[in-house]
Amino acid sequence: MRTFSHFILRRAGLVAIIGTTLAIAGAYFSVELYKNLRTDLAELLPTSARSVQDLDDVTRRLESIDSLAVLVFSKNTEASKRFVHDLVGKLESVPKNIIASVEYRIEKELKFFREHSPLYMDLGDLSRVRNYIIDRIEYEKSLYNPLNIFSEQEIPEPRLDFLALRQKYELKTSGYSKLPGGYYATPDETIRAVLAYLPGKTSSMDQVHILKSAVEGAIHSLNLQSYAADIQIRYTGGVQDTLEEHSALIADLEISTAIVIVLVAIAMFVFFRNLRATFALVASLLGGALWTFGVSYFVVGYLNANTAFLGSIIIGNGINFGIIILARYIEERRKGFNNLRGIRTAMVYTATATWTAALAAGLSYGSLVLTGFRGFRQFGIIGLIGMLLCWLSAFTLLPAYLTLIDKFSSLVPRGRRIPHSTFTTIIAKIISKRPAIIWGFSFLLTVASLSTLVSYHPGIIETNLGKLRSKHSLEHGSVYYSRYLDQIFQRYLSPLVILTKSRDEAAEIANRLRKLKEQQGKASMIASVQTLDDFIPQDQLEKIKILKNIRRLLPHRLIVRLSESDQALVARFLSETAMKPIYQNDLPPLILSKFTEKDGSIGKLVLIEPPLDHSTWEGDKMISLIRELRDVADSVSPGAPVAGTLPITSDMISAISRDGPRATFFAFAAVLILVVFLFREIKTITLVLFSLILGATWLGGIILGFGIKINFLNFIALPITFGIGVDYGVNIFQRY
């Protein structure tokens, strides 16, 4: 270290130029790295995770899986309807590689199912209707037969609960029949929705921005206020969620980084009371941080929701090494030694402690690499690089900057009195004169912390990802406006998808899931199951035969006795259209498109809707649902993709539960081995690790005692606490 310090002092200008140049280059690549910020939750899981592979498979096979929902608010319902028509016309002219498809009404679909409604009845119900008509005709014949006037035996009147029968089938289509005129709108039509589907995945931010820009451009070209004075546009849906989360993350990154830099600079100035020395410290620290992200651009290539805030974290942790060097340097200068002696002493006598701290922190970050959670692994890689490079910048750039500044004017005038600190003086006196008080307080705090272990339960893992959403999105953005989509559709708008290899497999999986739903009753997490075959009636020829039989049997005199509405119902029920068999190609285009893959194959999909409530926020229920879906899918079509947001979330919770304790153990083991290797003396090792273990115990007591939940974003604080926490004990003990 003496030779190294001598080189830095002799070549201070060259070191400063090279280091600063590398920092400028690092700044450029840091910007590129942050441009590649990916907020998609799938980016946190390993590429080998089933949910990630399933999502990729579904994305390759399907045209679109997510949409931007445009909400149109206006009390002038006719004006808003005209606007929707005009908007859809413009959006449909946008190339398919920007907007895959547009939806705004199902009028044709509703008409199709109304005209063919008899064929969608159960064969048994249709037979009961036919039998009732036969019995009714016989009853009336008997009732008006003169020979039966004197009969003492009462003729029983045939009955059929038509109301219950109608309610049974209306219930199946209630979610769609409530759409006024088939338009995606609330019953009073004051809120309308248009869905613009994104080609590909929402993790492609370029594609997301292009789609949003295309929609905004179309709306702007229509001169919104020319339709109605009160008309307003709001956005929600998966695409808008991604945009808002990405924007919020970028804004928070900028604010947090700026706040950290400012606060660190102020804190250093207040402590050292030397503006130029503070500048040298902060400049060297920023150099190390920029080196880190410049290297990370080539090693990792992008940031995710876990690694996004590493800039602030690395600055906050990486400054420790520079603080120790600068404090020792200023101490030596205040003793009257020159810059050469001050730099050498600071570098030589702080190297072991700071190197140990840097390695400990780096290994704690690096321990995350051993987990399968991609969010942890990338965090660990960048954190490890950051600790090493911040140590390097502290031992190269900082001495070089201090030397160059001191050449112009002495950083610390000789003989300046060492500032007196009242707070630390009081603490030192208490520790030296009343150690029993410290021991007693620490003992009670430790016992209290250990007692909280009994309150540990799996529920400490946060499963409600809604609590991690952007506050703006929750209160004023996409999440807030998503409730209007629920009002319109009254069902889960983004169902889970199971993709099979054949249509028969899809039908078998659907049948097994329906049986499972029946077995579980009200507790089931399956609200509905759909395949393409559900839209093609079964036993059509037999049903048509029954319908023709009914039409032949039903006398005109009985029909004319009915009300006008019932006569219209009978006319539709027995029309020629209702008696034509329905084949796949007869289905409306919107239905077919939902079950069509990019290669043109149709009917291999199974769509599963969970309940439209908060039950999917309960981790155990959600994980159980995904496990059941995968078990059923694998039993019929091994490896069939089960894709959607819920499988991603389920795998994330499982990964945190599995990899979290593992990462924490790895981090502690790495720190323990490092301290043992460097100090190699049982008493020293015990003293160095004692404060670390004590502090970690208190941290656990705070987490469990106050019921703080662990999620995929804050869990990383636990393993890196060991690496950062040992820093203080090592430095204090080394100087002692």
Side-chain angles (χ1 to χ4, degrees), residues 174-220:
S174 59
Y176 302 99
S177 59
K178 291 180 181 179
L179 297 174
Y183 284 84
Y184 292 170
T186 53
D188 62 1
E189 300 187 67
T190 56
I191 305 173
R192 301 185 184 276
V194 177
L195 305 181
Y197 281 87
L198 175 79
K201 289 195 297 186
T202 49
S203 57
S204 174
M205 287 307 302
D206 288 341
Q207 192 72 43
V208 166
H209 281 290
I210 291 172
L211 181 142
K212 180 67 179 294
S213 297
V215 172
E216 289 179 329
I219 292 173
H220 179 72

Side-chain angles (χ1 to χ4, degrees), residues 353-468:
T354 54
W355 178 244
T356 303
L359 271 180
L363 289 175
S364 293
Y365 284 107
S367 66
L368 298 171
V369 177
L370 301 177
T371 67
F373 196 68
R374 193 167 21 156
F376 288 171
R377 293 187 56 161
Q378 293 178 358
F379 192 98
I381 292 171
I382 299 175
L384 173 59
I385 295 171
M387 291 302 98
L388 298 180
L389 292 183
C390 282
W391 182 90
L392 185 61
S393 70
F395 275 78
T396 54
L397 284 182
L398 178 56
Y401 289 156
L402 290 174
T403 300
L404 292 174
I405 292 173
D406 192 73
K407 284 183 178 181
F408 291 96
S409 174
S410 179
L411 269 170
V412 182
R414 182 175 297 181
R416 175 173 288 185
R417 186 174 60 86
I418 299 174
H420 177 74
S421 174
T422 304
F423 175 74
T424 51
T425 301
I426 293 173
I427 294 296
K429 286 182 178 179
I430 293 175
I431 290 173
S432 60
K433 294 183 178 181
R434 296 287 188 272
I437 295 176
I438 304 297
W439 271 101
F441 179 77
S442 299
F443 178 78
L444 293 176
L445 189 58
T446 303
V447 171
S449 297
L450 291 173
S451 67
T452 62
L453 291 175
V454 297
S455 64
Y456 176 81
H457 56 89
I460 195 172
I461 303 296
E462 180 63 78
T463 60
N464 181 5
L465 298 187
K467 293 183 178 180
L468 306 180

Side-chain angles (χ1 to χ4, degrees), residues 679 683-684 687-688 728-736:
F679 291 100
K683 182 179 179 181
T684 304
L687 290 172
V688 168
Y728 314 111
V730 167
N731 280 295
I732 289 176
F733 187 80
Q734 178 75 8
R735 186 63 190 271
Y736 168 79

Side-chain angles (χ1 to χ4, degrees), residues 5 29 66 68 81 94 132 193 299 390 440 469 547 572 612 625 721:
S5 63
F29 289 111
D66 217 340
L68 174 69
K81 184 186 290 187
V94 174
Y132 166 78
V299 175
C390 282
R469 300 295 299 273
L547 289 170
R572 189 174 74 242
L612 192 63
L625 169 65
T721 291

Side-chain angles (χ1 to χ4, degrees), residues 15 64 93 267 346 482 590 679:
V15 170
S64 179
S93 66
S482 64
L590 183 59
F679 291 100

Side-chain angles (χ1 to χ4, degrees), residues 554-570:
L554 197 62
H556 179 70
R557 56 185 171 78
L558 190 59
I559 295 177
V560 295
R561 295 181 188 176
L562 302 174
S563 63
E564 290 185 6
S565 61
D566 286 343
Q567 287 185 38
L569 182 63
V570 170

Side-chain angles (χ1 to χ4, degrees), residues 30 33-34 253 256-257 260-261 264 281-282 284-297 300 303 306-323 358 361-362 365 378-394 716 720 724 727-728:
S30 297
L33 187 68
Y34 274 91
L253 283 173
S256 65
T257 303
V260 166
I261 293 174
V264 164
L281 174 60
V282 173
S284 65
L285 171 65
L286 292 178
L290 293 173
W291 294 352
T292 298
F293 287 100
V295 173
S296 299
Y297 175 80
V300 178
L303 296 178
N306 260 132
T307 57
F309 290 92
L310 264 172
S312 302
I313 296 173
I314 287 174
I315 290 172
N317 296 342
I319 197 172
N320 292 348
F321 319 125
I323 290 174
Y365 284 107
Q378 293 178 358
F379 192 98
I381 292 171
I382 299 175
L384 173 59
I385 295 171
M387 291 302 98
L388 298 180
L389 292 183
C390 282
W391 182 90
L392 185 61
S393 70
I716 49 179
I720 66 176
I724 299 168
D727 184 348
Y728 314 111

